[in-house]
Amino acid sequence: MKQTIETLILQAVDTLKANGDLDINTLPAVTIERSRDAQHGDFATNLALILAKAAKTNPRQLAEKILAALPAHDAVTKVELAGPGFINFFINPAAQYAIINTIHELGRDFGLSTVGAGKKVQVEFVSANPTGPLHVGHGRGAAYGSVVADLLQAAGFDVEREYYVNDAGRQMDILATSVWLRYLEECGEVFVFPSNGYRGDYVRDIAAKIHKNSTNAYHQPIAAVLENIPADEPQGGDKELHIDALIDRAKTLLGLENYRAVFQVGLHDILEDIKADLSEFGVNYQHWFSEQQLVDDGSVEKALNRLRDGGHLYEKDGATWFASSELGDEKDRVVVRENGQYTYFASDIAYHHHKLERGFDQLIDVWGADHHGYIPRVRAAIRALGADDNKLKVLLVQFATLYRGEEKVQMSTRSGEFVTLRQLRNEVGKDAARFFYAMRRSEQHMDFDLKLATSKTNENPVFYVQYAHARVCSVLRQLDEKGFQRNVQLGMDNLTLLSAEHEIALLGTLARYSEALEKAALQHEPHLLINYLRDVAHEFHTYYNAHQFLVEDAPLRDARLNLVCAVKQVLANGLGLLNITTPETM
């Protein structure tokens, strides 16, 4: 219906322009909102207020001209002028039944939009360092990012999903060294494991695999490994100096080839685990982009040279600095350390430069909320590279706290173990995990109740929505059991029989699906779609409890069946965008 009203408004504007009553060069996007008060009609537009300045006229007078130029339409019974220049539209009640026909005809395509106009958007999300399994914190970013991407695609954008693999830099060296040290334990060496090494059991598993396949090929006596190594923090030393010295010793004793072999096994095994974990969670990517590639192919140096040519780099204390404070950052940033190594930020500059060169109209980065302070420096880099930093949209995701009823779940232990995404999924299921992760604003902290997520009650929101779909399926099974024959066309011919209060409310809710989807997509807020689906489920359950569907009156029965099948389709479409299943029995 909004599209019909928009068409009428655009026709009125064209008429005014053709008659010389409206002199404007460009027309802004027409905003049409549902009225909050039925006394003000069903829909309203503020176009006259927006256009008044450009048209050099009073907004109310312009609204009167638009109203007078509006063509008649059977779906619109009345149009009114309100306030300083709002135009209110009253919809013919009979027009509301058309939504059932529309849903029936479009099926899975119902609600899809072309508002994105094919613009190229890249959504980069999760991008956790491949130094261990994904944990429950990564899960929220995974669910949120994947749904944002799917919503944008449903809204007509050309979407690419990307995972940025941080396979270069210090953290990966710490992982490789941790694996090697655990390997030395497999060889029988005894020592105190570094306090800030990677301590999870997965490191032991990788080390055991290397030992099994290569026996003692990488073995070195622990005395040689620890000779002149600075003390660790528990022994009164510096844990950072300790692990960095161990990294250097690993590279020296193993040699480049053997060190890279250990490094690659750790990277490969963890990355393959991450890929499998995400795929099982309903998250897939078109592209896995390697940070190491940026170093190897010269992209980092290329980006830094561009900044240097623009006068944005300078030397200080043996390091190379990016003058980001001149472009909105709180202070300047090191891009090349004294030892000649690139910083993580240098790689990030090159990565965003690479993204821009790939021709995306918009870059969407989904980051943890703790990276909020990182945004200004990336924006500064984009500006320094000569690009429009408005192309970058950073969406922040807060952490999730696990509860089991009233009891808070311990997220990690001193041994380095933590609650993984796989463990969460195994306990509550993919559907509940994705639904719960996405049903709050991403920037809001969320409490994830494991007990609620696994309950088979109406208090569990994902159960409540899925149960509505299953109930419709149950009605259709009962139709066969009772020996009734459904006549879809007879139902379509008698939709006006759907006059009960619950039916009218349900029709109005179904008609909002396209708006809810588009709004959720454009605002990058999946919870808006979830809220909508919960509304549909509520309206349906209320209707189900108040009325019999399989009545003897065939025209009424088939009209009601067409209505509940429309509910089933909308629930399937919406849950499908969330990558959540639609069970037929529960």
Side-chain angles (χ1 to χ4, degrees):
M1 187 54 62
K2 285 180 67 175
Q3 189 172 2
T4 298
I5 294 173
E6 181 177 350
T7 300
L8 297 177
I9 292 172
L10 292 175
Q11 289 175 354
V13 169
D14 287 342
T15 298
L16 293 176
K17 291 171 68 176
N19 294 339
D21 293 326
L22 182 61
D23 184 15
I24 56 171
N25 294 322
T26 58
L27 181 68
V30 178
T31 302
I32 301 167
E33 300 287 348
R34 286 187 176 272
S35 302
R36 296 182 180 179
D37 188 341
Q39 293 182 345
H40 298 152
D42 299 286
F43 295 92
T45 181
N46 63 348
L47 181 64
L49 285 81
I50 297 174
L51 280 182
K53 184 175 181 179
K56 299 177 182 179
T57 186
N58 178 278
R60 188 173 175 87
Q61 292 175 344
L62 179 56
E64 289 174 344
K65 292 181 180 180
I66 294 173
L67 193 152
L70 282 169
H73 195 283
D74 292 342
V76 180
T77 57
K78 184 171 65 172
V79 185
E80 286 184 349
L81 179 62
F86 293 99
I87 301 175
N88 296 336
F89 293 81
F90 293 77
I91 304 304
N92 185 341
Q96 64 194 334
Y97 298 112
I99 193 64
I100 296 180
N101 276 291
T102 301
I103 295 171
H104 177 75
E105 290 172 2
L106 295 179
R108 294 293 300 179
D109 290 336
F110 175 68
L112 300 184
S113 167
T114 59
V115 68
K119 291 182 179 177
K120 291 183 63 177
V121 178
Q122 187 216 53
V123 183
E124 182 239 315
F125 59 107
V126 183
S127 297
N129 290 344
T131 52
L134 297 176
H135 56 64
V136 292
H138 298 132
R140 191 177 186 192
Y144 174 71
S146 65
V147 176
V148 165
D150 290 347
L151 287 172
L152 288 169
Q153 186 165 304
F157 291 89
D158 180 6
V159 181
E160 179 182 287
R161 300 153 185 82
E162 183 160 287
Y163 190 114
Y164 180 47
V165 182
N166 300 124
D167 53 358
R170 182 169 179 267
Q171 290 305 313
M172 290 304 300
D173 281 330
I174 294 176
L175 173 68
T177 301
S178 299
V179 168
W180 182 55
L181 292 173
R182 290 303 189 195
Y183 163 86
L184 293 180
E185 290 181 339
E186 293 286 325
C187 295
E189 301 291 344
V190 179
F191 56 93
V192 178
F193 194 81
S195 60
N196 64 341
Y198 285 99
R199 307 171 67 84
D201 285 344
Y202 64 93
V203 177
R204 295 181 183 272
D205 293 339
I206 296 170
K209 173 183 174 181
I210 293 174
H211 185 259
K212 179 181 178 180
N213 293 336
S214 61
T215 59
N216 294 328
Y218 307 114
H219 181 228
Q220 294 288 334
I222 195 63
V225 175
L226 298 180
E227 185 179 1
N228 296 324
I229 293 293
D232 200 356
E233 187 176 54
Q235 290 80 44
D238 186 318
K239 65 180 180 179
E240 300 298 336
L241 291 176
H242 181 72
I243 192 66
D244 285 343
L246 285 172
I247 292 170
D248 289 340
R249 186 62 51 84
K251 292 178 179 179
T252 300
L253 293 177
L254 286 173
L256 181 60
E257 183 177 346
N258 283 344
Y259 177 79
R260 291 302 299 177
V262 173
F263 183 105
Q264 287 300 325
V265 172
L267 169 63
H268 175 270
D269 283 17
I270 291 175
L271 192 57
E272 287 303 304
D273 182 74
I274 288 173
K275 289 181 178 180
D277 204 7
L278 287 171
S279 180
E280 291 165 11
F281 193 46
V283 178
N284 294 285
Y285 297 86
Q286 283 79 42
H287 200 197
W288 295 74
F289 193 97
S290 165
E291 178 187 359
Q292 187 63 48
Q293 174 190 326
L294 294 170
V295 178
D296 294 343
D297 67 11
S299 293
V300 177
E301 194 60 31
K302 176 183 175 182
L304 294 185
N305 284 337
R306 184 156 182 171
L307 295 183
R308 188 174 286 107
D309 293 343
H312 299 291
L313 298 186
Y314 63 91
E315 307 299 320
K316 177 184 174 183
D317 300 329
T320 302
W321 295 70
F322 170 43
S324 54
S325 62
E326 298 176 1
L327 295 164
D329 194 9
E330 62 180 358
K331 61 181 181 180
D332 293 348
R333 309 290 176 175
V334 176
V335 289
V336 183
R337 298 187 181 94
E338 295 175 50
N339 60 8
Q341 292 185 340
Y342 298 127
T343 62
Y344 175 81
F345 181 45
S347 296
D348 225 16
I349 293 172
Y351 178 46
H352 283 84
H353 186 218
H354 198 284
K355 287 186 183 188
L356 292 166
E357 289 188 324
R358 282 185 266 166
F360 293 108
D361 297 300
Q362 186 175 40
L363 306 176
I364 296 178
D365 290 359
V366 179
W367 295 349
D370 56 336
H371 285 70
H372 180 271
Y374 202 74
I375 299 174
R377 74 186 75 171
V378 175
R379 289 197 177 281
I382 291 175
R383 285 197 291 273
L385 290 167
D388 180 5
D389 69 305
N390 288 319
K391 282 191 172 185
L392 175 67
K393 175 74 174 180
V394 177
L395 305 175
L396 298 176
V397 179
Q398 279 282 2
F399 197 61
T401 302
L402 296 184
Y403 284 85
R404 189 170 279 109
E406 298 295 323
E407 180 185 356
K408 187 175 181 179
V409 176
Q410 186 68 29
M411 299 287 280
S412 62
T413 66
R414 291 177 61 88
S415 65
E417 298 295 337
F418 43 81
V419 179
T420 66
L421 175 60
R422 184 173 283 115
Q423 290 170 326
L424 175 69
R425 194 177 67 251
N426 288 340
E427 178 165 346
V428 307
K430 174 179 76 73
D431 289 348
R434 289 182 65 94
F435 195 99
F436 272 62
Y437 272 137
M439 73 178 183
R440 297 279 184 269
R441 289 182 185 273
S442 66
E443 66 270 20
Q444 290 180 337
H445 180 85
M446 75 167 297
D447 294 334
F448 194 122
D449 189 339
L450 299 171
K451 185 176 180 180
L452 177 62
T454 54
S455 69
K456 306 295 183 184
T457 67
N458 288 342
E459 283 69 40
N460 179 354
V462 66
F463 177 88
Y464 189 67
V465 174
Q466 289 179 316
Y467 188 41
H469 184 274
R471 266 185 157 175
V472 178
C473 295
S474 175
V475 169
L476 295 177
R477 287 194 297 272
Q478 293 174 41
L479 176 72
D480 292 334
E481 293 168 4
K482 292 179 181 292
F484 289 125
Q485 295 292 320
R486 181 187 173 197
N487 186 325
V488 174
Q489 190 56 54
L490 179 64
M492 294 300 184
D493 293 339
N494 289 278
L495 293 178
T496 54
L497 296 176
L498 302 175
S499 57
E501 181 180 348
H502 295 112
E503 292 165 338
I504 299 301
L506 195 48
L507 286 166
T509 302
L510 292 177
R512 291 195 292 111
Y513 175 66
S514 299
E515 301 167 34
L517 191 160
E518 190 172 294
K519 188 174 182 180
L522 297 179
Q523 295 186 9
H524 310 124
E525 295 185 336
H527 74 278
L528 296 177
L529 177 60
I530 287 182
N531 290 345
Y532 169 80
L533 293 176
R534 294 174 73 175
D535 288 345
V536 173
H538 173 72
E539 295 288 355
F540 172 76
H541 288 308
T542 304
Y543 180 38
Y544 181 94
N545 294 330
H547 295 274
Q548 290 291 324
F549 301 155
L550 303 180
V551 295
E552 292 293 334
D553 183 346
L556 177 60
R557 180 178 68 241
D558 287 328
R560 285 179 172 174
L561 288 174
N562 285 357
L563 174 57
V564 298
C565 283
V567 170
K568 175 175 175 286
Q569 186 68 67
V570 167
L571 290 174
N573 290 4
L575 289 172
L577 285 171
L578 299 169
N579 207 330
I580 292 172
T581 62
T582 49
E584 296 188 359
T585 59
M586 292 183 73

